[in-house]
Amino acid sequence: MSENPLNIVLADDDDDDRMLFSEAIDEIAIQTNLKLFNHGQELMDYLNTAGSNLPNLIFLDLNMPIKNGLQCLKEIRSNTALKDLCVAIYSTSSSEVDIEETFLNGANIYVNKPNNYSKLREAVEKVLQLNWQYHTSNLNKDTFLFRI
């Protein structure tokens, strides 16, 4: 059985968060290729490079220098080549304003960064197991905010 690996990207300016996310991905029984970016501009440069392997899912931190997650989300949704990519906001913020703003700007799911490693691994695994076609066609505020 040779399933194609999921192409996952994470844009997050925090070194520790990138490392823990990478370790969690390695422990999950889902084949993935993970690319890590230090900030939103790096991510957007990659996504806008001709011939780059577009991800199946983008995990996007909101609070990053140079280009933040909301700016990336708006840019992705306004680009015809990128607008259908699945975007998971991955943030420590639980602000209703952030949640509402990312929902209205087209994010597919909002994941609060868990505060311990086992919850992080569980959250990442559950998000990767979502049936995205079903999830995005039934998107509403109840399915948008992901809680562990």
Side-chain angles (χ1 to χ4, degrees):
M1 182 172 99
S2 71
E3 284 186 35
N4 288 335
L6 283 175
N7 290 312
I8 308 295
V9 300
L10 169 65
D12 194 322
D13 62 311
D14 186 291
D15 291 337
D16 291 337
D17 285 352
R18 283 195 313 274
M19 183 195 68
L20 290 171
F21 187 93
S22 182
E23 287 176 11
I25 286 275
D26 287 345
E27 288 184 15
I28 294 170
I30 298 171
Q31 286 292 331
T32 58
N33 290 326
L34 176 64
K35 282 196 179 313
L36 300 171
F37 298 96
N38 297 318
H39 54 74
Q41 188 60 55
E42 273 187 5
L43 169 68
M44 295 313 301
D45 290 347
Y46 172 77
L47 294 177
N48 288 310
T49 300
S52 67
N53 193 3
L54 291 180
N56 301 100
L57 178 59
I58 299 169
F59 284 86
L60 195 53
D61 185 25
L62 279 182
N63 301 311
M64 295 182 287
I66 305 171
K67 185 172 281 192
N68 70 35
L70 186 59
Q71 290 169 313
C72 292
L73 177 62
K74 288 177 178 179
E75 199 172 315
I76 288 165
R77 292 301 182 234
S78 66
N79 181 322
T80 53
L82 306 175
K83 68 180 177 55
D84 294 326
L85 293 175
C86 288
V87 178
I89 301 300
Y90 180 66
S91 178
T92 54
S93 170
S94 53
S95 150
E96 283 299 320
V97 172
D98 287 343
I99 294 166
E100 181 77 16
E101 196 165 17
T102 55
F103 178 76
L104 293 174
N105 281 284
N108 298 98
I109 196 166
Y110 194 104
V111 181
N112 275 120
K113 287 182 184 177
N115 57 8
N116 74 51
Y117 181 74
S118 63
K119 284 190 184 225
L120 165 66
R121 200 175 59 67
E122 183 183 348
V124 169
E125 186 168 26
K126 285 188 174 169
V127 169
L128 294 184
Q129 289 173 340
L130 282 174
N131 177 337
W132 284 98
Q133 204 168 6
Y134 174 80
H135 182 80
T136 54
S137 68
N138 291 293
L139 192 59
N140 62 49
K141 282 297 283 285
D142 296 330
T143 59
F144 182 65
L145 183 58
F146 182 82
R147 289 192 167 93
I148 281 284

